[in-house]
Amino acid sequence: MDGNVYDELKERGFVAQVSDEGAVRRMLGGNAAAFYVGFDSTAASLHAGSLVPIMAMVHLRRAGHRAIAVVGGGTTMVGDPSGRTEMRRLLDEATIRAQGQAIHIQLARYLRFDGVGAIAVDNADWLLPLKYVEFLRDIGRHFSVNRMLAAEAYRLRLEKGLSFIEFNYQLLQAYDYLTLFRKYNCTLQMGGDDQWGNILAGVDLIRRVEGAAVEALTFPLLTTASGAKMGKTAQGAVWLDAGRFGPYEFYQYWVDCDDRDVGRFLRMFTLLPLDEVRRLESLRGSELNEAKRVLAFEATKITHGELEAERARQAAAAAFGKAVPVSGSAEAEAEAAGDVTALPTTAVPRSRLEAGIAPAGLFTEVGLTPSRKEAKRMIEQGGLYVNDERVDSTERLITLEDLGPDGGLLLKAGKKKVHRVVAG
RNA sequence: GGGCAGGUUCCAGAGUGGCCAAAUGGGACGGGCUGUAAACCCGUUGCGGAAACGCUUCGGAGGUUCGAAUCCUUCCCUGCCCA
């Protein structure tokens, strides 16, 4: 890898704030600097928003630096108030531990923990055994309540209420940094921009206690062009766990992105060379869909593997190929053929299809509609399709006759949500 | 611990005994236009039912009443002021 990874991070849009740009650049231009990012175990799976720190870690690791992923088994016990308008629900220890393990496994896919280039640690290991009074005297005395209260992160919470437990979060995170500095000579902590205050608290603490200069870097908090939080859809989070959010849905999440986000996303969520990114984002009009497909394929490949990415692409081609005017190239023709079997599929007993199934029931059963009521509403509005034919009545039963030569039939709710049904 | 103000449907926020499944706005969803985009226009937005209608919901639990989101009791939670 030529050039300085810091520059690459910056070009790709990963840098929001840095403590000392020159120092960070020097550090990352050298070799094998240890850096860390924390992931709190607030859920059993990470979501697309976490891909920002993950991808940044991947870049640094590839450049030969040492990645430390901190699973926040200890900090999650307390709950970070940053960027929240109200207190998090406190989770019990067993839940946190289980979720932390799940997150660890997910992170391993991207970072391949080998104990050298990438390691994973759990801050519960050093936070849980802490002695309260000792901690207050050794660490607590370095923190100024005045300064903490003045921080932007707490301002909103001072209006809405902030409990003492949350107020301690920053101390724990700072202590994490100190611990990692001592143990691994970790000299860079990265995190979301809402973590800036917490990270700087660690930088300060290390300077006061150890007299050493360490650095901080934050990533921009991504929102989509339409203002939604990165990795959230109206239906819920875009989980990285294939069991919660399948590769096909994951692929579609990226294809569905706003035109204005394509370049940004290609830079951050794929490893494509920047020249290629620039070429793709310069496409105009409907050609930009090609860039979205590349984005979706590359991003899916990183999270779910090349095989699943390919299957997702085939499935998308099958579901949307017909509707898209084929551009003429041989490759586009082949893609348009698609492969329906890779679509999310549900098997329904043959006998039920013989009897005929009411559409509202079937659509709801496979999860395309949240309730029969909603399904009926959509039928009234012309939003449900069987084999690309609009369902114009709730009386229109779905039967064996709807099965195609491949033994399946295609249900669509709206233009984008697709599900395949087979007899079985 | 004392005083005050609150907890409403995805969110914000009306409602203060029947006309309330609950105004309005946002969001979301469907349709139209498109490029699986944005913007815009139209429609929908608790569940079940073809419908009539029924059922569940306004912090929790009880109660008053023919009838409660609305009144009473009690509990839980939140904010503000005082300690």
Side-chain angles (χ1 to χ4, degrees):
Chain A
M1 179 141 291
D2 54 344
N4 189 313
V5 227
Y6 175 74
D7 295 327
E8 171 142 26
L9 281 188
K10 200 166 176 184
E11 277 190 80
R12 285 183 178 269
F14 283 99
V15 180
Q17 300 188 71
V18 211
S19 48
D20 178 341
E21 186 161 48
V24 172
R25 199 166 179 281
R26 274 194 300 283
M27 184 196 306
L28 297 180
N31 48 23
F35 66 96
Y36 102 87
V37 176
F39 296 87
D40 271 358
S41 329
T42 46
S45 170
L46 299 170
H47 61 77
S50 301
L51 284 173
V52 175
I54 289 172
M55 292 305 290
M57 292 178 90
V58 167
H59 283 291
L60 292 196
R61 190 195 194 306
R62 279 158 57 110
H65 298 297
R66 187 175 203 198
I68 305 171
V70 174
V71 171
T75 35
T76 308
M77 293 286 283
V78 170
D80 186 3
S82 306
R84 301 212 124 225
T85 54
E86 50 191 60
M87 187 168 164
R88 289 171 189 276
R89 224 190 73 222
L90 286 176
L91 302 167
D92 64 81
E93 200 174 336
T95 305
I96 291 171
R97 189 173 300 122
Q99 294 182 344
Q101 278 163 5
I103 287 170
H104 177 116
I105 290 167
Q106 285 187 335
L107 289 172
R109 246 191 352 242
Y110 305 90
L111 296 171
R112 290 175 293 110
F113 300 120
D114 57 5
V116 184
I119 61 175
V121 292
D122 187 337
N123 62 20
D125 293 349
W126 59 82
L127 293 181
L128 265 37
L130 282 176
K131 299 241 190 341
Y132 192 59
V133 175
E134 230 170 73
F135 182 76
L136 288 179
R137 287 178 64 96
D138 293 344
I139 304 300
R141 73 189 159 101
H142 296 295
F143 286 76
S144 152
V145 173
N146 309 261
R147 200 152 39 85
M148 286 175 73
L149 288 179
E152 173 65 26
Y154 291 110
R155 224 198 56 223
L156 187 66
R157 292 302 301 274
L158 285 176
E159 285 161 24
K160 286 239 167 187
L162 177 69
S163 76
F164 185 64
I165 182 171
E166 296 176 281
F167 195 57
N168 282 272
Y169 188 91
Q170 185 169 93
L171 306 232
L172 297 185
Q173 186 167 334
Y175 184 70
D176 278 353
Y177 199 174
L178 177 62
T179 303
L180 294 168
F181 171 75
R182 286 170 169 165
K183 208 167 168 184
Y184 301 103
N185 193 34
C186 174
T187 51
L188 172 65
Q189 180 184 176
M190 306 192 294
D193 207 31
D194 55 347
Q195 296 296 307
W196 182 243
N198 290 343
I199 298 175
L200 283 186
V203 170
D204 271 356
L205 181 65
I206 292 170
R207 195 189 61 243
R208 285 160 191 260
V209 175
E210 300 288 340
V214 296
E215 306 302 329
L217 184 154
T218 58
F219 312 117
L221 290 185
L222 287 199
T223 51
T224 64
S226 50
K229 252 189 206 161
M230 183 69 214
K232 302 273 189 192
T233 67
Q235 284 71 42
V238 178
W239 303 108
L240 301 185
D241 174 28
R244 290 168 175 243
F245 202 82
Y248 171 77
E249 284 82 1
F250 190 80
Y251 179 95
Q252 282 299 319
Y253 172 75
W254 300 103
V255 171
D256 283 338
C257 79
D258 194 298
D259 282 12
R260 293 167 287 180
D261 291 326
V262 176
R264 222 156 42 111
F265 287 1
L266 279 166
R267 263 182 266 276
M268 299 186 84
F269 303 116
T270 76
L271 293 169
L272 293 176
L274 288 165
D275 286 344
E276 176 66 359
V277 172
R278 276 188 280 272
R279 184 188 73 77
L280 287 168
E281 72 176 331
S282 70
L283 294 173
R284 284 291 163 260
S286 61
E287 291 189 329
L288 204 49
N289 284 338
E290 177 56 25
K292 291 182 183 180
R293 280 192 286 271
V294 173
L295 164 66
F297 180 78
E298 293 297 325
T300 306
K301 186 168 89 180
I302 291 168
T303 291
H304 295 295
E306 184 150 16
L307 185 69
E308 288 299 335
E310 185 52 37
R311 280 172 55 79
R313 178 162 70 176
Q314 290 292 323
F320 297 101
K322 279 160 267 178
V324 178
V326 175
S327 59
S329 73
E331 197 190 351
E333 296 278 1
E335 190 171 284
D339 173 12
V340 288
T341 63
L343 288 169
T345 301
T346 299
V348 168
R350 197 165 197 91
S351 55
R352 289 184 56 206
L353 283 166
E354 264 167 38
I357 307 173
L362 189 59
F363 274 85
T364 304
E365 198 177 318
V366 302
L368 284 179
T369 47
S371 67
R372 289 158 163 272
K373 193 89 170 172
E374 179 67 17
K376 285 176 201 160
R377 208 173 281 134
M378 283 175 70
I379 290 172
E380 279 171 32
Q381 301 183 347
L384 296 190
Y385 308 80
V386 174
N387 293 327
D388 284 313
E389 244 176 72
R390 182 168 279 170
V391 177
D392 46 18
S393 154
T394 48
E395 320 268 290
R396 186 250 191 258
L397 297 182
I398 295 163
T399 68
L400 285 174
E401 296 187 7
D402 292 308
L403 294 178
D406 60 351
L409 61 90
L410 230 50
L411 303 181
K412 282 196 188 184
K415 297 274 162 43
K416 294 191 180 175
K417 278 174 290 179
V418 188
H419 201 96
R420 186 165 181 262
V421 169
V422 295

